[in-house]
Amino acid sequence: MIGLSAPMRLAAKGVAALALALSLCMSPAVALAEGEDENTVNPQQLPDSSFIFDTSIADLSSADSYYDNQTVQIVGEAVGDSIAVEGDPDHRWITLMSRDPSSNASISVFMTDEQAERIDAFGKYGTTGTMLQVRGTFHLVCPEHSGLTDLHAEHVSVVDKGKHHEEPFSLEAFIPGAVVVAVGLVVTGVFYWLRERRR
């Protein structure tokens, strides 16, 4: 660029930059053309049915054959108790209740002792059970467990630990009941008084 004027040098630099940009843009296309054989569709490949359906316990309680033998993932509260499996000391039955307050749907989950040990509390009056996320195979009619609708857990994780909450004693909660009892006694007394007057 010796002997070139400033505008000519600027133009030469611009042409060089343009050539470099074009070469960079063309190289991926060449690479794609060369690697086309690696990205072809294999018509002999079997379909993959190992999808995970992130669903709810309420949906599974009214599920049809569409969910049968599918891998599903649910979140629910452990309620009731951990029940030993007859003839299988390494597994437990756990009942999971729906998180939706408008639904009382539940499902039986077949899991290992190790997975069940992650539960620190079961839901009951005054206690919120451990919230679990369970991934496993859903059986509409389980061939291993006498046709029971269940979920065989493969992965169990704790979403939220159990909580104990004592209900505070409130005298005001007894007032409506006391009023009803008092009214009932007054009505009963009036009834007996009227009956005695008729004699």
Side-chain angles (χ1 to χ4, degrees):
M1 293 187 187
I2 298 172
L4 294 177
S5 63
M8 298 277 295
R9 279 192 299 239
L10 189 58
K13 287 181 181 179
V15 170
L18 182 61
L20 179 61
L22 285 173
S23 67
L24 290 174
C25 290
M26 294 296 290
S27 57
V30 173
L32 283 175
E34 291 173 354
E36 278 181 359
D37 292 339
E38 298 174 7
N39 198 26
T40 55
V41 175
N42 180 7
Q44 304 299 322
Q45 184 174 353
L46 296 175
D48 183 7
S49 61
S50 60
F51 297 108
I52 296 175
F53 293 98
D54 200 0
T55 185
S56 68
I57 295 173
D59 288 341
L60 291 183
S61 67
S62 59
D64 55 18
S65 58
Y66 177 74
Y67 282 102
D68 194 25
N69 296 319
Q70 297 288 352
T71 300
V72 299
Q73 183 167 274
I74 58 170
V75 176
E77 178 189 356
V79 297
D81 203 354
S82 175
I83 301 171
V85 179
E86 188 176 344
D88 187 353
D90 298 327
H91 287 83
R92 313 289 291 180
W93 283 110
I94 302 296
T95 301
L96 288 187
M97 181 79 68
S98 174
R99 291 189 301 175
D100 186 359
S102 64
S103 171
N104 60 353
S106 63
I107 189 168
S108 298
V109 182
F110 181 71
M111 63 175 64
T112 64
D113 283 343
E114 183 183 348
Q115 292 168 335
E117 285 172 1
R118 298 174 190 169
I119 301 170
D120 63 348
F122 287 91
K124 57 185 177 182
Y125 181 76
T127 303
T128 301
T130 307
M131 201 68 69
L132 298 177
Q133 182 184 67
V134 178
R135 185 175 70 241
T137 304
F138 174 72
H139 296 284
L140 195 59
V141 180
C142 183
E144 296 178 35
H145 302 114
S146 305
L148 179 72
T149 297
D150 63 13
L151 176 63
H152 289 208
E154 296 167 7
H155 176 75
V156 177
S157 60
V158 175
V159 175
D160 199 6
K161 291 184 177 180
K163 299 180 183 69
H164 299 282
H165 38 83
E166 296 296 331
E167 295 291 333
F169 178 78
S170 173
L171 188 60
E172 295 173 357
F174 291 91
I175 292 176
V179 170
V180 170
V181 170
V183 170
L185 291 174
V186 169
V187 170
T188 303
V190 170
F191 172 76
Y192 279 111
W193 180 73
L194 291 174
R195 191 176 68 172
E196 291 297 323
R197 280 191 62 187
R198 288 180 182 177
R199 287 183 179 180

